[in-house]
Amino acid sequence: MRMFCYQCQEAAKGTGCTIKGVCGKPEEVANLQDLMIYTLKGISVVAQEGAKADIKFKKADHYTMNGLFMTITNANFDDAMFIEKIKEGLALREEMKKELSDKGVVLNDLHDTATWSAESDAAIKAKADSVGVGVLATENEDVRSLRELIIYGVKGMAAYAEHAYNLGKENDEIYRFIAKALVATLDDTLSADELVALTLETGKYGVDVMALLDGANTGAYGNPEITEVNIGVRNNPAVLISGHDLKDLEQLLKQTQGSGVDVYTHGEMLPAHYYPAFKKYDNFVGNYGNAWWKQKEEFETFNGPILFTTNCIVPPKAEHIERIYTTGATGYPGCKVIVADEKGVKDFSEVIEHAKRLSAPTEIETGKIVGGFAHAQVFALADKVVEAVKSGAIKKFFVMAGCDGRMKSRDYYTEFAAKLPKDTVILTAGCAKYRYNKLNLGDIAGIPRVLDAGQCNDSYSLAVIALKLKEVFELNDINELPIAYNIAWYEQKAVIVLLALLYLGVKNIKLGPTLPVFLSPNVAKILVETFGINGINNVDEDLEQFLG
Ligand code: SF4
Ligand code: SF3
C-alpha cells in the first residue's frame, strides 16, 4: 500500500484512500501529511517534557497549530510546503531539546518521533514513505480508531485556534491539551477506556476553542445580525474570497477600498456578511456560488482571482491555477502564496491588480439569502421564539449543521429539509446549509424556517442557544428540549464539532451521509451505546423516527 488515509467522509470504498485521495491528494502529499503529524507528535513529546519542568515553548504551540491545520482535508496539496514545514519542525524540536538540556532537563528514551532526522528532501520523502509513520502503524484497529478520532478532533481544534490567534486571542490550555493528546496517541499503555475518556476531553476543549473563536470574531467584528446577502453580481472586476478566516477578509476589504475592485465571498466565507464591521465596505457585494465542491464551475464563471484562506480547495483546472492565491495553512502547487509579515499584515495588492486585468463576474443567480442567527441575534428574538414554542407554532428545531460534500447521497439533506413539517425550524451552521438555504422554506410568525448561525465553528452558537432554551424552559437535560440533531460531516472540523456536542451531553445525533470509516466496529458500538449516535436511513423513515 502506497498511502493510507481515512480521515474524511469521502474515504475511498468506505475503507480509506490507498492510491490517491478522492479529494485529489496524491500519495506523496498524503505520506508527507502523515510525517507532518509524526513530527508534531515528536515536538509535543519534547514540549511535554518541558511542561513538567515548567518550561513553555510558545513557538512550538503555534507551529503545531499550523501544522495540524495544514493536514486537514482539502487545505494543502503542496508537497514542497510540507517538506519545508517539516524541516522547520525538526530544527525547532532540536532547539527545544537544547534549551531543555541547557536548563538541566534530562531527556531519556525519547520516542522515534522526537529523535528521527533527515539530511535532505529525499530523506524526508523516504521517511514519509516508510512503514511506521502513518495511520496503519497502530495495528490494533480499535486503538487506531480512537487515536485517529482524537487526532482528527485536535486537527479541527487547531484550525479554530488559528483563526482566533490571527485575531489576537489564545488559550494556553488548548495548546497544552493538543500536545497532551498527540503524545497520548503514542502511548501503548493507555487502555481503550482511557482513550475514550481522552476523546470526551477532546470535546471539552472543542467547546473551549469554539468559544474562544466566537469571542475573537465577535470582539473584532461585532455580533452577527440578521442580514440579507445578495447572490447576484455587479459590473466591476472582483476578488472571490473563500475559507473561514475573517482577519484575511478584513485585510482584503481594507486594501480594495477605492480600488474599483469588488469582493465576493464563496463557500464558508458567506457568514462574514452577517458581521456589522464588514457592512461599511461598499465593495463587499455578496456571495457568489455555493459550497466548496462546486468551485470548479463557479471559478470558471467568476472570471477574477480567487483567494483561499482555508479549506476546502478542489484541485483546480490547469487554466485556473494562475488566478488562484492561497494563504495561511493552505497551498496548492503552482498557486501563489500570500505570506503575512511579522505583524500579521498580508499584502494583497498583487491579487487586487490581477482582478483589474480580468472581467467582472458572470451572473449565475440573482436574489438574496438570509442569515445571521448566531446566539446574540437569537437571544434578541428570544421572546418571539419562546412564545412560538409555547403556543405550538414551532413544534421542533432541527440542528442540521456541518459540512457539504459532492456525494450524490447528500441530496438527502435537501429532501429532508424540504419535507420537514411547516411547524419546524432548521438551525444550521457550516457549509451544510447550501443544501437547503435557497429553498425558500418560509417563516413562522416572522421567524425564518432556516436560521443560519454562520460557519461550522458557529455550531457553538447553536449549543449556546440550546443551553439558553434549557434554562428558559427550566429543564434538567438538554435532551428534553424539542431539538433534534441531523448533522452532516465531511472533514475534521466537523469531528471537533461532533465531539463538542457529545461533551455537552447531546444524545441521539444522526450523523451522515455515512458514519466515519475511521470508527472501528467496536468504537462505533461505544458511540452508539453511550451517545445514541446513529446513521441516516431514508428521509421518510428518518422523519418518522424524529417526529414519531
Ligand atoms: Fe481520502 Fe478523504 Fe484522506 Fe482525501 S482526506 S485522501 S478523500 S480519506
Ligand atoms: Fe465546509 Fe470544507 Fe466542512 Fe467549515 S468548507 S464546513 S467541508
Side-chain angles (χ1 to χ4, degrees):
M1 203 177 284
R2 297 184 302 197
M3 65 173 271
F4 183 80
C5 179
Y6 67 169
Q7 67 174 353
C8 87
Q9 189 270 326
E10 292 186 351
K13 298 184 190 130
T15 47
C17 300
T18 55
I19 301 165
K20 186 183 182 184
V22 173
C23 59
K25 182 164 75 176
E27 170 199 340
E28 303 78 53
V29 177
N31 292 348
L32 284 165
Q33 289 189 357
D34 286 346
L35 186 59
M36 180 82 247
I37 298 295
Y38 195 77
T39 308
L40 295 174
K41 288 178 184 174
I43 288 173
S44 299
V45 165
V46 180
Q48 288 275 88
E49 292 304 315
K52 284 181 204 158
D54 226 11
I55 300 166
K56 284 187 185 159
F57 296 101
K58 205 75 190 156
K59 218 168 142 187
D61 294 340
H62 297 154
Y63 174 87
T64 303
M65 175 171 75
N66 187 253
L68 285 165
F69 197 171
M70 285 174 75
T71 69
I72 276 189
T73 302
N74 293 340
N76 199 313
F77 295 82
D78 192 333
D79 49 350
M81 281 174 89
F82 280 104
I83 290 175
E84 281 317 302
K85 187 82 181 174
I86 290 165
K87 280 188 200 161
E88 199 191 309
L90 294 179
L92 171 64
R93 191 194 71 200
E94 293 312 303
E95 232 175 72
M96 292 161 69
K97 281 156 83 173
K98 179 165 184 316
E99 185 179 334
L100 290 181
S101 91
D102 288 350
K103 289 180 175 161
V105 178
V106 183
L107 298 169
N108 280 333
D109 300 326
L110 290 178
H111 188 272
D112 180 67
T113 52
T115 57
W116 75 280
S117 63
E119 299 304 321
S120 62
D121 292 6
I124 289 182
K125 285 188 193 167
K127 179 74 176 172
D129 292 341
S130 65
V131 188
V133 165
V135 173
L136 299 177
T138 304
E139 279 171 19
N140 179 298
E141 71 164 351
D142 298 327
V143 177
R144 183 196 307 146
S145 175
L146 288 164
R147 285 179 176 177
E148 294 306 313
L149 176 57
I150 291 163
I151 289 173
Y152 304 153
V154 297
K155 285 187 183 196
M157 191 184 298
Y160 294 154
E162 185 159 303
H163 294 306
Y165 169 73
N166 291 344
L167 290 169
K169 301 287 178 209
E170 296 187 84
N171 175 346
D172 275 350
E173 285 181 23
I174 291 171
Y175 298 143
R176 294 288 75 70
F177 177 77
I178 290 176
K180 174 179 124 171
L182 288 174
V183 174
T185 64
L186 297 170
D187 187 346
D188 292 329
T189 68
L190 292 181
S191 66
D193 284 351
E194 285 169 310
L195 286 170
V196 170
L198 188 62
T199 307
L200 272 195
E201 199 183 348
T202 309
K204 180 221 176 278
Y205 286 95
V207 176
D208 291 355
V209 80
M210 284 193 275
L212 180 74
L213 180 53
D214 180 73
N217 285 339
T218 56
Y221 307 120
N223 275 306
E225 53 195 24
I226 306 178
T227 305
E228 285 192 325
V229 181
N230 167 35
I231 54 173
V233 298
R234 302 201 304 199
N235 199 20
N236 297 324
V239 178
L240 187 62
I241 179 168
S242 186
H244 303 68
D245 198 279
L246 298 184
K247 177 80 182 176
D248 286 338
L249 172 70
E250 181 189 20
Q251 298 196 47
L252 180 66
L253 286 171
K254 279 191 178 148
Q255 293 172 34
T256 46
Q257 277 303 278
S259 69
V261 171
D262 287 342
V263 174
Y264 294 79
T265 52
H266 190 263
E268 270 286 70
M269 198 56 91
L270 157 66
H273 292 278
Y274 312 155
Y275 288 87
F278 299 132
K279 293 189 172 160
K280 62 174 182 268
Y281 297 98
D282 57 9
N283 65 329
F284 192 31
V285 177
N287 190 68
Y288 191 84
N290 294 280
W292 64 273
W293 58 279
K294 291 204 174 157
Q295 63 188 248
K296 270 194 187 164
E297 306 90 86
E298 291 168 357
F299 290 179
E300 180 76 39
T301 52
F302 185 74
N303 304 326
I306 298 113
L307 173 65
F308 273 104
T309 67
T310 72
N311 58 317
C312 280
I313 299 177
V314 175
K317 292 182 182 167
E319 63 266 33
H320 292 167
I321 286 187
E322 60 97 28
R323 56 182 172 97
I324 295 179
Y325 294 79
T326 69
T327 190
T330 59
Y332 193 86
C335 295
K336 291 221 180 65
V337 184
I338 309 281
V339 182
D341 69 14
E342 59 292 340
K343 291 194 180 118
V345 177
K346 293 182 181 175
D347 178 0
F348 293 121
S349 54
E350 193 182 344
V351 191
I352 298 165
E353 289 310 309
H354 197 159
K356 289 180 185 167
R357 300 193 297 273
L358 298 170
S359 323
T362 306
E363 190 168 88
I364 51 172
E365 54 192 346
T366 55
K368 289 187 173 9
I369 46 179
V370 181
F373 297 93
H375 53 84
Q377 179 63 83
V378 175
F379 290 175
L381 294 171
D383 292 348
K384 236 176 158 177
V385 174
V386 170
E387 184 44 44
V389 175
K390 284 190 174 155
S391 72
I394 296 179
K395 288 259 164 43
K396 205 162 193 142
F397 294 93
F398 282 82
V399 171
M400 291 179 71
C403 305
D404 197 9
R406 61 202 129 197
M407 278 187 170
K408 183 83 184 109
S409 53
R410 289 182 189 259
D411 289 348
Y412 164 96
Y413 294 102
T414 309
E415 193 191 334
F416 186 90
K419 283 191 171 169
L420 274 172
K422 300 273 175 283
D423 53 8
T424 58
V425 169
I426 295 172
L427 302 173
T428 191
C431 62
K433 65 169 81 60
Y434 284 101
R435 287 281 164 178
Y436 40 79
N437 67 347
K438 294 171 186 170
L439 291 182
N440 293 322
L441 294 177
D443 64 88
I444 299 173
I447 302 164
R449 286 195 53 233
V450 178
L451 299 180
D452 178 22
Q455 298 178 335
C456 45
N457 47 288
D458 295 308
S459 299
Y460 170 74
S461 257
L462 305 180
V464 171
I465 293 165
L467 292 169
K468 183 75 183 174
L469 288 175
K470 177 182 147 217
E471 191 187 307
V472 172
F473 291 108
E474 296 176 351
L475 301 171
N476 296 320
D477 184 343
I478 201 167
N479 296 296
E480 292 169 22
L481 284 165
I483 304 182
Y485 294 79
N486 194 0
I487 293 195
W489 84 286
Y490 171 59
E491 37 75 47
Q492 300 77 49
K493 293 178 181 180
V495 174
I496 194 61
V497 170
L498 176 72
L499 294 179
L501 291 175
L502 297 185
Y503 171 75
L504 291 172
V506 176
K507 294 240 162 50
N508 303 322
I509 296 173
K510 259 195 196 302
L511 185 64
T514 51
L515 291 179
V517 295
F518 57 79
L519 299 179
S520 67
N522 286 328
V523 172
K525 194 162 169 260
I526 296 173
L527 293 182
V528 171
E529 284 171 3
T530 321
F531 303 104
I533 287 191
N534 59 107
I536 62 168
N537 198 348
N538 67 60
V539 170
D540 294 326
E541 282 176 34
D542 289 355
L543 278 171
E544 172 75 29
Q545 191 189 336
F546 277 125
L547 299 163

